Amino acid sequence: LGELIARLKTKESAANPKDCVWRSVIRKDYAALEAALKHPACAHIRDPNSGCTPLHLCADPASARLLIRYGYDPNVPDNYGETPLHHACARLDVATAKTLLDGGASPLIKDHFGRYPSDGALMTQGDSKLKSEMLNMLKIAEIKAAPSKERQTPAQHEKQSSAAPVMRRAGK
């Protein structure tokens, strides 16, 4: 992601609508993000080095809601099999994790190392109150999701789903 951040600081990047999406997510500039998401070139943005989508980098619920509303799938894994929910849990970002869960993120998808999103919260050093809140929220989400789906790896999830690589199917 370091290469992506460095590229966003260049003058050439300013005119690129895809870079505008990344920059808007990082800056939490919702008006610019929504304007950029309306551009057809912004439908399938993914960092080629990490496999992350803008939803993986969201650090606030408003950006996450916008990206989900414009069709970004909260269950798409990066190159390590981590979904945006894995990233939010590792940051102990309870509000964004809740938005992702409300937007259809599964707490039952394992990354390539066999870790669930809740494992990321458990391993993170930080505020014990936030960690407890995150783990309680994930436990409830796992209970709700368990009857309909077994715990899955990203490959199993993608095989089962007919969704496009970064976007949800229309009407889903």
Side-chain angles (χ1 to χ4, degrees):
L1 291 176
E3 291 177 27
L4 171 66
I5 304 285
R7 187 184 76 232
L8 294 176
K9 293 178 181 177
T10 66
K11 287 182 182 177
E12 300 81 47
S13 171
N16 184 334
K18 290 181 182 181
D19 286 348
C20 186
V21 170
W22 290 109
R23 202 173 18 263
S24 300
V25 165
I26 292 166
R27 292 180 180 165
K28 300 178 186 176
D29 183 345
Y30 312 119
L33 177 59
E34 187 159 25
L37 288 170
K38 291 177 181 177
H39 194 284
C42 297
H44 295 282
I45 299 175
R46 195 171 198 143
D47 178 52
N49 298 316
S50 66
C52 286
T53 69
L55 203 49
H56 285 85
L57 297 185
C58 273
D60 70 291
S63 293
R65 267 191 297 280
L66 263 175
L67 289 162
I68 291 168
R69 190 173 79 205
Y70 277 87
Y72 277 83
D73 185 344
N75 292 310
V76 169
D78 63 16
N79 292 348
Y80 300 100
E82 294 179 342
T83 65
L85 185 59
H86 282 88
H87 285 246
C89 290
R91 293 189 308 265
L92 295 179
D93 184 348
V94 175
T96 300
K98 181 177 180 348
T99 299
L100 292 168
L101 289 166
D102 291 346
S106 172
L108 304 179
I109 297 174
K110 289 193 239 179
D111 66 15
H112 296 322
F113 305 101
R115 295 180 302 222
Y116 297 101
S118 56
D119 295 328
L122 280 170
M123 293 185 296
T124 299
Q125 300 293 321
D127 184 323
S128 59
K129 186 178 176 184
L130 276 178
K131 188 182 282 194
S132 177
E133 186 179 349
M134 176 72 79
L135 292 170
N136 287 334
M137 179 180 64
L138 290 169
K139 183 185 247 183
I140 292 166
E142 287 174 0
I143 291 168
K144 287 179 180 177
S148 62
K149 291 183 182 178
E150 293 296 319
R151 289 182 172 230
Q152 300 175 334
T153 65
Q156 290 167 330
H157 174 75
E158 284 187 13
K159 192 177 213 181
Q160 182 182 16
S161 172
S162 59
V166 176
M167 305 293 285
R168 292 186 190 190
R169 280 183 291 135
K172 191 172 180 185

